[in-house]
Amino acid sequence: MDGHWIVLGASSAMARAFARRLAAAGCQITLTGRDTADLARTAADLTLRGAVDVAVLPLDLRAAPAALEPLLAHAAAGAGPVSVAVFAGSMPPQAAVERDPGLLSGLVADNFTGAAALLLAVAPTITARGGTVVGVSSVAGDRGRVGNYAYGAAKAGFQTFLSGYRNRMARAGVHVMTVKPGFVDTAMTWGLPGLFLVASPEDVARDIETGLKRRRNVLYTPWFWLLIMTIIRLVPERVFKRLSI
Ligand SMILES: NC(=O)c1ccc[n+]([C@@H]2O[C@H](COP(=O)([O-])OP(=O)(O)OC[C@H]3O[C@@H](n4cnc5c(N)ncnc54)[C@H](OP(=O)(O)O)[C@@H]3O)[C@@H](O)[C@H]2O)c1
């Protein structure tokens, strides 16, 4: 991990744990998100941990692509590799989306189209100067479930986008890694019932760094979610539609 890393959704505990690894590697880091006071505190911490230059840029992905201009100009400044790590996402309760379908557009912007717009716009800079892309999706994107199919559908869209984007960027030697965490102990899942095999944000960040070293294309974290999701994908639809998993 080197050069300039732009982190989307940098107030996420997973993003913070990953950014600490970037700092330890001596990277330049740009933290983006809506809560700039929180990001400023993280920036101070990352500077103490060895980051060479940490910037904070406000960014609401629901306002993309118009809101992307300052970030794109910032990414284009300087020389050397430019990398992007996408941790942004939101998971409103499925019941709330069923009551108010108007929530769907924000959900899709948070989990898919906001980051996708940034990745499309920054692609020429990355291909010209080199870099890496990490996109955090979710195991929820592997199959629609009754408990969170709106969120899962947005993640599935992001995964499919990343698959094609990887295909495009590989031609320029750029590595694009899709990350599919299972349950992780963060603000998003705090207090939710029925969680099991819950990983820590630090576990996920370590797996992402290892995955990048091994140039993995798709990373399930922790690894056993690959087995779990393989089984879940194999359940026939006539059975699956009766399950509440
Ligand atoms: N926790 C899990 O079990 C789990 C499992 C699988 C995948 N994931 C995915 O992992 C990623 C990190 O999630 P987390 O668990 O750490 O949740 P989190 O604490 O809620 O973090 C989500 C991050 O996304 C940002 N975000 C949301 N909407 C945004 C918008 N419109 N513009 C800019 N930033 C926005 C949030 O920023 P604000 O501070 O501005 O709200 C926050 O930094 C997400 O993509 C999530 O879907 C989580």
Side-chain angles (χ1 to χ4, degrees), residues 8-15 32-35 38-39 59-63 86-91 106 109-111 136-140 151 155 179-189 195 198 201:
L8 268 56
S11 68
S12 141
M14 266 183 247
T32 74
R34 296 173 293 192
D35 186 347
D38 178 84
L39 298 184
L59 176 63
D60 183 350
L61 291 169
R62 295 189 187 194
V86 179
F87 288 89
S90 69
M91 189 177 67
D110 296 347
N111 290 288
V136 176
S137 178
S138 170
V139 294
Y151 169 76
K155 290 300 195 193
V179 180
K180 300 187 189 183
F183 295 122
V184 187
D185 183 16
T186 68
M188 184 176 278
T189 52
L195 304 186
V198 179

Side-chain angles (χ1 to χ4, degrees), residues 21-228:
R21 289 179 172 268
L22 295 175
C27 296
Q28 179 189 348
I29 306 171
T30 297
L31 306 173
T32 74
R34 296 173 293 192
D35 186 347
T36 48
D38 178 84
L39 298 184
R41 284 190 291 276
T42 301
D45 176 64
L46 295 174
T47 302
L48 289 175
R49 290 173 190 268
V52 291
D53 178 15
V54 189
V56 170
L57 279 186
L59 176 63
D60 183 350
L61 291 169
R62 295 189 187 194
L68 297 174
E69 286 308 324
L71 179 57
L72 292 171
H74 180 69
V82 177
S83 300
V84 179
V86 179
F87 288 89
S90 69
M91 189 177 67
Q94 178 63 35
V97 180
E98 287 170 4
R99 278 194 307 273
D100 179 5
L103 294 176
L104 274 173
S105 57
L107 169 66
V108 171
D110 296 347
N111 290 288
F112 170 20
T113 52
L118 186 270
L119 292 177
L120 291 174
V122 81
T125 303
I126 299 179
T127 50
R129 291 178 23 194
T132 301
V133 173
V134 174
V136 176
S137 178
S138 170
V139 294
D142 280 6
R143 192 158 192 184
R145 296 186 294 108
V146 69
N148 67 356
Y149 58 91
Y151 169 76
K155 290 300 195 193
F158 189 45
Q159 281 171 205
T160 303
F161 174 89
L162 287 171
S163 172
Y165 191 73
R166 175 165 36 252
N167 201 177
R168 169 187 173 184
M169 300 299 271
R171 290 149 210 258
V174 174
H175 178 211
V176 176
M177 185 167 82
T178 306
V179 180
K180 300 187 189 183
F183 295 122
V184 187
D185 183 16
T186 68
M188 184 176 278
T189 52
W190 193 85
L192 289 183
L195 304 186
F196 57 95
L197 300 173
V198 179
S200 72
E202 291 74 21
D203 290 340
V204 171
R206 185 203 55 232
D207 280 358
I208 292 175
E209 183 171 4
T210 306
L212 288 175
K213 282 184 185 143
R214 295 180 182 163
R215 290 185 78 82
R216 300 287 300 275
N217 294 311
V218 179
L219 177 78
Y220 284 83
T221 172
W223 63 269
F224 46 75
W225 282 96
L226 170 60
L227 299 181
I228 295 171

